[in-house]
Amino acid sequence: MKLRHLLVITFAIIVIIPMTLFWIWPYSKALELEVKEVNEKHLVIAKNLSAAFERYYQDVTGIFSIVAFQSQKQLESKEFKQLLNSYKFKEIIVIDDEGIVQRCLFSANGNCIESVKNDIVLLAKETLKEGTIQISTVTEDKTNNSGLILLVVKKVNNNILLAYLSTDYIVQMGKRVAFGQKGHAAIVDQAGNVLAHPLDSWIQERKNMIAISPIKKMLAGKTGVDEFYSPALKGDMIAGYTQVPNAKWGVMVPQPIKELENKADAIDQTAIFVMLLGLGLALLITIPVSLILIKPLENLLRAIKLIEQGNSNVNLKWNLSKLIPLELQLLKMSFANMMQNIERNKKEISKLAYFDATTGLPNRNYFYRLSNKALDKMLKTNQKGALVFIDFDGFKAVNDTHGHRVGDELLFLFGKRLASFLSFNSEYEQINYLTDNLPLIIPARLGGDEFVILFQDIENRKEVELKLQTLFEVLFLKYELHDGVELTITGSAGVALYPENGCRYDQLMKSADIAMYDAKSAGKNRIKFAATNRAVLS
């Protein structure tokens, strides 16, 4: 058989086999993969937006709680005004039951209003809850040209401490989410009224979306993925949704199902088109041209095969002959750009899913996964280990006194010190690097001011104690924070030994947690080991 015939037949087989597989591969499977990606991506985006709004809510209520106790000089200071402006406060006033302003604490435009409308007073009274700061549903004071606002209220003696909070921050955050052709974010208040939406008219009208299925579910405190019909986009949608815990706002990230179906169609059509085009070229190609074309095609095919096998670290930096057609050159460039975009997006999404956004350490779910793998390894190699549960002493007072921004900065610096001391690096090209190359010491943030460390290959209890004493000397020192705040913190730690206090993750975590509380009860700023429980080992 001549070489040109062999090459043509070979090219034909290479094209026909994957084309046949694509024909066999059902359309529904491609659509199922698209929907699965929505379940992962859209829900992550919704949860991240929820976390951002929760921090905003905590900051707003925290700032508002201290306003009434500030002196006039402090209220008029440039720094304090900048702080209030940055959080979108428009007015902060004290009114009586009739809506007459008794005291003006802050006005963004410098001209404090003299009274508020009856409907604003009524909404403020309805929102009030004794002894707490509350935020109302979205409204508008047309008399004072307030634009869309939320009322922040608190009872002060016989009057009401009232703030106009602009919804601009919420709208801006909502507009940052855009993907596909019509993928977007929708945020509603606790009554289902629109706070942020792609349709500006819906924002201005304060459109109520309570009739939509995922809105009902997220206002009921649920989190998940749901399908529904959108009257705004006039089509079926699929959305990830969740609730902002304390504010009770709803966050929904929908995308038209039609887009997913179109993507599935495009995958099938593109695959078949590419394969048919390849077959046609193979039938027309000559031996000299085949010799030129075969190498880049083999390189591209080799890259595709490696990617199919799950290897994303593929070398695409191979040179092309000047005789190679422009289409193949563009194909290589487009393929390389596509892989770069996929890897970048995959890394970003994986980072959000596996690592804590504040400290950069593994989060609760990833720590659970890594710990179980480490426990399996220690069981097979007959090693000992220790799980350490660390909790700050008095962290709530830091947030209450200095605000959540300082609190978050403290957590960030603490996590940085912890990772540095343990020589732990989470910045890897592949997110599964830690899983495949399990470190001997694994730190993580569970949430709030709770941190954990899993030590493997430990000789005895004394070794753990010495490591923690050295660690505490590094962690619990002075921290220089935002606005010149300097804090020296302490912490309490509970230690559960493996296998003395348990062989499973939940057993060790429970024992370490109890030991940590024993440390706090014993006076804080100390380390306590869990008592050996023989029943746990059975």
Side-chain angles (χ1 to χ4, degrees), residues 379-397:
L379 177 64
K380 292 176 182 177
T381 56
N382 199 27
Q383 293 179 350
K384 295 181 179 180
L387 193 149
V388 182
F389 195 119
I390 301 175
D391 188 90
F392 290 3
D393 297 329
F395 181 68
K396 184 177 183 299

Side-chain angles (χ1 to χ4, degrees), residues 427-444:
E427 296 296 328
Y428 300 108
E429 288 299 319
Q430 298 295 329
I431 201 66
N432 59 358
Y433 181 86
L434 291 179
T435 309
D436 297 338
N437 303 272
L438 199 65
L440 287 176
I441 303 175
I442 307 170

Side-chain angles (χ1 to χ4, degrees), residues 219-240:
L219 292 184
K222 297 179 180 179
T223 294
V225 176
D226 197 9
E227 295 183 17
F228 66 99
Y229 179 80
S230 170
L233 300 180
K234 295 181 174 57
D236 293 326
M237 310 287 286
I238 184 168

Side-chain angles (χ1 to χ4, degrees), residues 124-134 153-155:
K125 290 179 179 180
E126 291 174 349
T127 305
L128 279 173
K129 188 174 181 181
E130 190 65 34
T132 63
I133 297 170
Q134 297 292 320
V153 297
K154 182 180 181 181
K155 190 73 172 178

Side-chain angles (χ1 to χ4, degrees), residues 86-294:
S86 68
Y87 281 92
K88 307 301 181 182
F89 283 99
K90 303 189 79 172
E91 306 280 346
I92 303 180
I93 54 179
V94 177
I95 64 171
D96 61 17
D97 283 346
E98 302 300 322
I100 305 302
V101 175
Q102 303 298 308
R103 184 185 176 196
C104 178
L105 304 179
F106 171 77
S107 178
N109 61 15
N111 297 317
C112 199
I113 60 178
E114 297 179 358
S115 64
V116 298
K117 292 175 58 180
N118 291 336
D119 59 335
I120 298 295
V121 177
L122 180 59
L123 179 58
K125 290 179 179 180
E126 291 174 349
T127 305
L128 279 173
K129 188 174 181 181
E130 190 65 34
T132 63
I133 297 170
Q134 297 292 320
I135 296 183
S136 74
T137 55
V138 63
T139 187
E140 182 178 6
D141 186 349
K142 294 184 178 179
T143 302
N144 294 302
N145 296 320
S146 68
L148 294 179
I149 56 172
L150 299 170
L151 304 181
V152 188
V153 297
K154 182 180 181 181
K155 190 73 172 178
V156 178
N157 298 324
N158 294 324
N159 294 322
I160 300 174
L161 179 60
L162 172 66
Y164 284 11
L165 182 68
S166 171
T167 61
D168 288 350
Y169 172 79
I170 301 173
V171 173
Q172 291 165 6
M173 288 292 288
K175 288 186 180 296
R176 289 182 183 178
V177 178
F179 51 91
Q181 294 179 350
K182 295 183 179 179
H184 63 275
I187 298 96
V188 299
D189 65 19
Q190 57 271 41
N193 302 315
V194 168
L195 292 172
H197 193 276
L199 297 179
D200 291 336
S201 61
W202 280 37
I203 298 175
Q204 295 302 319
E205 294 171 13
R206 290 170 272 160
K207 189 82 170 180
N208 190 279
M209 300 172 63
I210 195 67
I212 297 176
S213 171
I215 300 292
K216 289 181 181 178
K217 292 178 180 179
M218 64 188 177
L219 292 184
K222 297 179 180 179
T223 294
V225 176
D226 197 9
E227 295 183 17
F228 66 99
Y229 179 80
S230 170
L233 300 180
K234 295 181 174 57
D236 293 326
M237 310 287 286
I238 184 168
Y241 62 87
T242 189
Q243 187 184 66
V244 182
N246 286 295
K248 306 302 181 186
W249 301 331
V251 179
M252 178 174 68
V253 180
Q255 183 178 14
I257 294 178
K258 188 64 177 177
E259 287 188 16
L260 307 185
E261 295 172 345
N262 290 341
K263 287 178 68 176
D265 287 337
I267 291 172
D268 286 347
Q269 294 171 5
T270 302
I272 293 174
F273 173 77
V274 171
M275 299 308 160
L276 290 175
L277 178 62
L279 181 60
L281 290 174
L283 295 173
L284 296 174
I285 205 163
T286 60
I287 291 177
V289 176
S290 299
L291 294 175
I292 296 174
L293 292 178
I294 192 168

Side-chain angles (χ1 to χ4, degrees), residues 437-473:
N437 303 272
L438 199 65
L440 287 176
I441 303 175
I442 307 170
R445 181 191 177 201
L446 298 183
D449 58 338
E450 295 178 345
F451 293 80
V452 285
I453 308 171
L454 179 66
F455 291 96
Q456 303 170 66
D457 196 16
I458 295 298
E459 291 293 331
N460 51 45
R461 171 175 171 162
K462 186 66 177 177
E463 181 185 351
V464 178
E465 192 169 6
L466 289 174
K467 286 179 180 292
L468 292 180
Q469 287 174 353
T470 305
L471 178 63
F472 270 41
E473 291 174 359

